[in-house]
């Protein structure tokens, strides 16, 4: 099977999508320019303040609007392609009635989605786990918020519950995949509603300026850094528990549907399950480090994070599994054993670097911050060099130290490199005949590179001359000798 594409017709029919894509690129370029020019604007707000206040320009507002439209459009487009177009590029318009019917929320989708949300909120309060204190928050008198890290217990409890319900026949887990269109709309409506509620809170508490340019910025990028419901940190629950559990559940459900159709789960699908299973597990077992990541400490809980955590990640990142279902084994026969083993070995190697690099930095930082990192007895796997003994590091005049050992002596973002390798490995099992399975890698690569640039700009401003010294010691960002 190959994509038959009439390019001019496709461009004409999808001009909205292509316009949105162009605007999203503009958004990235624009925000890049903003960081590059921050030296000129320094005397006003600090970098972090400036970033969350926005520029208030029309271009900024338009780029946020484009991001909003693109994010919705791409999730629906990928779903439509897998469900109605065998995973190929095509033109969904005019929409057929069955497309609208399948994408309309129903009792099953509402039941499944809200069971996930409510169960994760209950697990967050009730299950055991260590508590860590986040970074000092300068805007709040250096207060340090407590984070109860029970994601691992929640992950094990969810798996046990779902397996129990499926095996006993109480709940057929395949329904999740069968209702994925309705689930997508349910998730999107819920995410957008939460974003609107958060924005209304912004107005109510006087955090939002209310002008049109600022409306888009405040709505999309948000103003709340640490939204909480009692002791529950909503950003953490959405980022760790909802997005990755829903993502892995969609994959597993898809694999069960494939088993029903073919009588077996294709080895290509096992590669996808391996990657997403390891990644989900890594998020849960490393949860105690999440309070120190960019998303939790820097990004505000606006529409962008809310949407991608509650809806976008799970549905956009699982396209490749759905593509396999759409291709149904006819055009994607079983991989030869050697190819399957090579792919699996490559996944394990990339994961090894990803897990170790994240653990090395996070544990090093935890030791610097409070003398020790939190030991997780049930966290599996524990890799041999996750904790570095007497690592080489650099003390900065800002007080925090920069690690220059382990994977961190080779590059400034070794965990991004490994993450990108995993993204490519996620695409390869889908073969080389189609473009859409490679969409994830095409989306993820610029996103992580852009993120690395933003972080570099932030660190350069924060550490000043120390950062220059560090960059001389560790000159490459992703791949030693190349970039
Ligand atoms: P990082 O883990 O790269 O954290 C960046 C911060 O770490 C910097 O701002 C700086 O903070 C500190 N830092 C930088 N260099 C050093 C060093 N050498 N030693 C010690 N501290 C240092 O950020 P992310 O949150 O972006 O990434 C975390 C993980 O999440 C990565 O593995 C990434 O691949 C993954 N990720 C996955 C996404 C997905 O959608 N799947 C999306 C985004 C990320 P400070 O100011 O404290 O010095």
């Amino acid at each position: 099977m190959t994509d038959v594409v009439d390019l001019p017709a496709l461009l004409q029919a999808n001009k909205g999508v292509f316009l949105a894509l162009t605007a999203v690129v503009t958004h990235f370029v624009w925000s890049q320019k903003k960081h590059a020019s921050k030296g000129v604007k320094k005397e006003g707000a600090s970098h972090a303040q400036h970033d969350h206040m926005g520029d208030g320009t029309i271009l900024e507002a338009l780029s946020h609007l484009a991001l909003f439209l693109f994010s919705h459009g791409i999730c629906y487009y990928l779903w439509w392609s897998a469900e109605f177009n065998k995973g190929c590029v095509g033109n969904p318009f005019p929409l057929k009635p069955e497309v609208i019917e399948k994408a309309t929320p129903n009792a099953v989708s509402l039941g499944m989605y809200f069971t996930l949300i409510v169960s994760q909120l209950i697990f967050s309060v009730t299950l055991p786990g260590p508590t860590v204190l986040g970074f000092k928050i300068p805007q709040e008198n250096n207060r340090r918020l407590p984070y109860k890290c029970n994601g691992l217990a929640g992950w094990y409890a969810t798996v046990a519950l779902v397996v129990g319900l499926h095996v006993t026949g109480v709940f057929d887990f395949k329904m999740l995949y069968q209702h994925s269109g309705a689930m997508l709309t349910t998730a999107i409506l819920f995410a957008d509603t939460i974003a609107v509620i958060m924005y209304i809170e912004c107005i109510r508490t006087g955090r939002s300026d209310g002008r049109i340019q600022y409306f888009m910025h405040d709505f999309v990028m948000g103003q709340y850094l640490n939204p909480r419901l009692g002791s529950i940190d909503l950003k953490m629950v959405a980022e760790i528990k909802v997005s990755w559990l829903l993502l892995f559940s969609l994959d597993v459900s898809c694999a069960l549907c494939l088993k029903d159709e073919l009588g077996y789960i294709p080895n290509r699908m096992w590669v996808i399950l391996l990657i997403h299973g390891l990644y989900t597990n890594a998020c849960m077992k490393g949860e105690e480090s999440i309070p120190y990541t960019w998303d939790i400490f820097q990004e505000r809980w606006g529409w962008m994070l809310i949407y991608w955590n509650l809806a976008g990640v799970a549905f956009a990142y699982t396209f490749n599994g759905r593509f396999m279902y759409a291709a149904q084994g006819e055009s994607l026969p079983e991989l030869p054993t050697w190819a399957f083993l090579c792919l699996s070995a490559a996944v394990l190697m990339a994961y090894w670097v990803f897990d170790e690099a994240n653990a090395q930095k996070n544990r090093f930082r935890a030791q610097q911050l409070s003398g020790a990192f939190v030991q997780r007895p049930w966290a599996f796997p524990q890799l041999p060099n996750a904790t570095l003994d007497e690592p080489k590091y650099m003390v900065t005049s800002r007080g925090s130290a920069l690690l220059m050992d382990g994977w961190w002596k080779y590059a400034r973002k070794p965990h991004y490199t490994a993450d990108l390798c995993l993204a490519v490995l996620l695409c390869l099992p889908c073969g080389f005949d189609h473009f859409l399975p490679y969409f994830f890698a095409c989306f993820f690569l610029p996103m992580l590179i852009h993120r690395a640039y933003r972080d570099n700009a932030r660190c350069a401003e924060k550490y000043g001359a120390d950062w220059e010294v560090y960059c001389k010691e560790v000159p490459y960002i992703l791949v030693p000798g190349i970039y």
Side-chain angles (χ1 to χ4, degrees), residues 365-388:
R365 271 292 168 90
Q367 278 163 340
Q368 295 276 317
L369 204 66
S370 42
F373 66 90
V374 182
Q375 295 277 2
R376 310 291 301 269
W378 300 103
F380 173 83
Q382 289 297 331
L383 298 178
N385 290 319
T387 312
L388 293 170

Side-chain angles (χ1 to χ4, degrees), residues 260-431:
D260 249 21
E261 294 283 335
L262 304 171
Y264 63 96
I265 298 176
N267 56 11
R268 297 171 188 263
M269 188 69 201
W270 279 113
V271 177
I272 291 179
L273 290 172
L274 178 66
I275 295 175
H276 280 162
L278 284 169
Y279 210 106
T280 308
N281 185 61
C283 291
M284 305 301 172
K285 87 183 171 93
E287 191 192 9
E288 72 282 3
S289 308
I290 307 282
Y292 312 111
T293 60
W294 170 285
D295 278 357
I296 300 297
F297 190 61
Q298 302 290 335
E299 299 276 38
R300 273 140 225 278
W301 214 46
W303 171 85
M304 188 174 80
L305 266 196
I306 296 172
Y307 176 88
W308 281 97
N309 285 337
L310 295 180
V313 163
F315 290 92
Y317 291 15
T318 49
F319 173 78
N320 289 12
R322 277 180 277 146
F323 174 82
M324 296 226 172
Y325 186 80
Q328 288 274 344
E330 349 154 335
S331 58
L332 285 178
E334 282 289 87
L335 286 170
T337 307
W338 66 264
F340 172 67
L341 291 178
C342 285
L343 268 179
S344 305
V347 168
L348 293 177
M349 275 162 61
Y351 174 77
W352 186 292
V353 179
F354 173 78
D355 188 328
E356 270 196 358
N358 271 305
Q360 284 170 354
K361 178 175 74 100
N362 295 332
R363 292 178 181 191
F364 165 74
R365 271 292 168 90
Q367 278 163 340
Q368 295 276 317
L369 204 66
S370 42
F373 66 90
V374 182
Q375 295 277 2
R376 310 291 301 269
W378 300 103
F380 173 83
Q382 289 297 331
L383 298 178
N385 290 319
T387 312
L388 293 170
D389 285 332
E390 299 185 10
K392 184 180 170 200
Y393 63 90
M394 180 184 144
V395 183
T396 67
S397 54
R398 286 294 296 257
S400 22
L402 295 170
L403 182 63
M404 300 192 301
D405 215 333
W407 293 106
W408 297 81
K409 65 175 173 252
Y410 302 114
R412 302 206 289 277
K413 292 283 182 195
H415 51 346
Y416 281 19
T417 312
D419 213 347
L420 287 169
C421 290
L422 286 172
V424 173
L425 288 163
L426 191 77
C427 306
L428 294 180
C430 296

Side-chain angles (χ1 to χ4, degrees), residues 20-238:
L21 251 174
T22 314
V24 169
V25 173
T26 315
H27 171 84
F28 286 140
V29 173
W30 161 82
S31 49
Q32 210 47 64
K33 250 180 80 183
K34 189 173 77 165
H35 289 302
S37 63
K38 70 185 181 305
V40 187
K41 297 176 178 167
K42 237 184 207 162
E43 55 289 6
S46 73
H47 179 95
Q49 285 169 330
H50 171 73
D51 203 27
H52 96 81
M53 279 161 50
D55 279 353
T57 59
I58 289 290
L59 186 59
E60 178 187 64
L62 286 176
S63 72
H64 287 323
L65 179 65
L67 190 66
F68 181 87
L69 295 175
F70 172 76
S71 302
H72 285 81
I74 195 65
C75 288
Y76 276 116
Y77 187 76
L78 291 174
W79 168 76
W80 169 84
S81 162
E83 193 83 18
F84 295 97
N85 207 36
K86 295 217 159 202
C88 302
V89 171
N91 178 13
F93 298 108
L95 290 179
K96 292 190 181 128
E98 62 261 36
V99 176
I100 295 169
E101 192 193 327
K102 280 203 156 192
T104 304
N106 54 36
V108 179
S109 73
L110 290 168
M112 287 190 296
Y113 190 77
F114 288 105
T115 302
L116 172 74
I117 300 287
V118 173
S119 64
Q120 293 313 311
L121 288 175
I122 294 174
F123 286 166
S124 297
V125 179
T126 53
L127 292 180
T131 296
V132 299
L133 290 177
F135 278 140
K136 291 176 185 165
I137 308 171
Q139 304 93 315
E140 297 183 28
N141 291 328
N142 286 334
R143 187 160 73 109
R144 291 180 71 185
L145 290 172
Y147 293 86
K148 189 174 179 187
C149 300
N150 53 12
L152 195 64
W155 162 231
Y156 293 160
T158 308
V159 171
L161 206 68
V162 165
V163 170
L165 291 174
H166 182 76
V167 169
T168 54
V170 176
F171 171 67
D172 183 355
F173 204 56
K174 294 194 293 293
M175 292 213 319
L176 181 59
Y177 182 74
Q178 287 156 356
H179 290 265
S180 57
M183 280 291 285
L184 171 61
T185 307
T186 305
I188 285 181
L189 287 177
F190 181 65
D192 287 349
T193 306
I194 297 287
V196 170
I197 292 173
M198 289 309 295
Y199 179 67
I200 292 173
E201 264 303 286
C202 280
I203 301 176
R204 198 183 65 79
T205 52
R207 289 171 190 239
S208 177
D209 183 288
R211 280 192 281 149
I212 182 69
Q213 297 98 317
Y214 289 110
F215 159 72
M216 272 323 282
H217 183 272
D218 291 353
F219 178 68
V220 170
M221 303 307 285
Q223 289 290 324
Y224 277 90
L225 190 56
N226 308 106
R228 291 201 157 206
L229 197 66
S231 62
I232 306 174
D233 191 279
L234 295 174
K235 208 159 57 160
M236 281 278 279
V237 172

